[in-house]
């Protein structure tokens, strides 16, 4: 278990019109008042990308690769750490698919040819020439964490050459436990203080400061 001590603008001019003393307000006054009280329409929001989608991949030869680097971590699933956009079945799938359902680094594979267990999915992907994947895109958010003299209180799983830390357990009465719902077992830490990198670098980053900002990917 890893533990560590824990453009400014001028104010708007309000024009008041008193109907008892000025029954016929000037056109300028009326326009100014209307401009101050008329609500602004909110800007249009882009449609939210789906969090889960299906992807059909097929190899054109036995030698072709899927073009995906995977992190298979016990208890945490199968995660995509890199997509080869120049070659492989995944690249070909992405080029014919809408942007919101393209496979990206950071996505999780939750099913492969009907298999849901990480070890079984990994075996299927090694042996099959056609894949029916169910891919889930996590939500990312930043969580502040202050040690305040406490132990960090996090235990991790991670792949030796991985790009993330997977929260295995949270010790009670620790800095991490004080985050409440902001940090949970199963979360994937992908950046520390704004820096992404190898799992080892993320571990080093957690030791670098008593005030941390961690980026969490949660399914």
């Amino acid at each position: 278990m890893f533990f560590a001590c824990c453009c400014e603008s001028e104010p708007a001019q309000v024009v008041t019109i008193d109907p008892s003393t000025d029954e016929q307000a000037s056109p300028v006054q009326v326009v100014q008042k209307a401009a101050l009280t008329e609500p602004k329409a909110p800007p249009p929001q882009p449609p939210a990308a789906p969090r889960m989608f299906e992807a059909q991949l097929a190899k054109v030869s036995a030698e072709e690769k899927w073009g995906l680097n995977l992190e298979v971590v016990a208890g945490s699933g199968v995660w995509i750490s890199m997509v080869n956009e120049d070659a492989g079945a995944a690249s070909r799938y992405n080029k014919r698919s809408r942007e919101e359902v393209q496979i990206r680094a950071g996505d999780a594979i939750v099913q492969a040819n009907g298999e849901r267990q990480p070890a079984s999915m990994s075996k299927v992907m090694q042996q099959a020439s056609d894949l029916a994947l169910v891919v889930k895109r996590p939500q990312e958010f930043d969580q502040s964490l202050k040690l305040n003299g406490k132990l960090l209180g996090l235990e991790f799983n991670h792949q030796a050459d991985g790009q993330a830390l997977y929260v295995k357990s949270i010790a009670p009465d620790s800095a991490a436990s004080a985050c409440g719902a902001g940090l949970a077992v199963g979360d994937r830490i992908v950046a520390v203080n704004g820096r992404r990198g190898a799992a080892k670098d993320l571990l080093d980053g957690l030791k670098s400061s008593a005030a941390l900002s961690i980026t969490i990917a949660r399914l």
Side-chain angles (χ1 to χ4, degrees):
M1 181 181 292
F2 166 69
F3 291 98
C5 292
C6 269
C7 81
E8 183 177 336
S9 59
E10 295 182 357
Q13 179 182 2
V14 179
V15 178
T16 303
I17 301 176
D18 185 351
S20 64
T21 59
D22 191 1
E23 294 183 356
Q24 294 183 345
S26 70
V28 173
Q29 288 176 315
V30 173
V31 170
Q32 286 176 322
K33 185 176 182 181
L36 288 169
T37 59
E38 183 178 356
K40 294 183 179 180
Q45 298 295 319
R51 292 195 64 196
M52 188 177 293
F53 59 92
E54 295 182 358
Q56 302 286 334
L57 278 64
K59 293 181 179 180
V60 296
S61 68
E63 293 76 24
E64 187 178 39
K65 306 295 184 183
W66 293 120
L68 300 171
N69 282 4
L70 303 177
E71 294 182 17
V72 184
V73 180
S76 301
V78 178
W79 293 78
I80 299 168
S81 60
M82 189 276 288
V83 180
N84 186 337
E85 296 295 352
D86 298 319
S91 172
R92 195 163 51 254
Y93 163 82
N94 279 351
K95 289 174 181 177
R96 69 171 186 267
S97 301
R98 304 188 314 276
E99 182 177 359
E100 63 267 24
V101 294
Q102 292 177 1
I103 299 173
R104 304 175 188 170
D107 287 346
I109 298 174
V110 297
Q111 185 172 309
N113 289 1
E115 299 289 345
R116 294 180 177 272
Q117 295 301 316
S120 299
M121 288 192 287
S122 179
K123 185 176 180 179
V124 163
M125 296 183 71
Q126 292 173 12
Q127 297 176 347
S129 57
D130 296 273
L131 282 178
L133 302 178
V134 178
V135 180
K136 196 168 185 179
R137 180 155 297 145
Q139 297 292 315
E140 283 196 8
F141 59 94
D142 293 331
Q143 171 66 48
S144 297
L145 195 157
K146 294 184 178 180
L147 300 185
N148 293 328
K150 293 185 176 182
L151 297 174
L152 179 59
L154 289 174
E155 184 179 7
F156 301 104
N157 283 327
H158 66 88
Q159 192 166 289
D161 58 350
Q163 302 292 308
L165 302 173
Y166 301 84
V167 179
K168 182 179 179 181
S169 67
I170 302 175
D173 195 30
S174 65
S177 67
C179 294
L183 189 58
V185 171
D187 282 347
R188 183 173 185 257
I189 296 177
V190 296
V192 177
N193 293 338
R195 295 185 177 182
R196 297 178 184 249
K200 179 182 180 301
D201 297 329
L202 296 176
L203 284 170
D204 290 343
L206 291 172
K207 305 173 187 177
S208 65
S209 173
L212 301 166
S213 174
I214 57 178
T215 303
I216 297 170
R218 178 179 293 175
L219 293 176

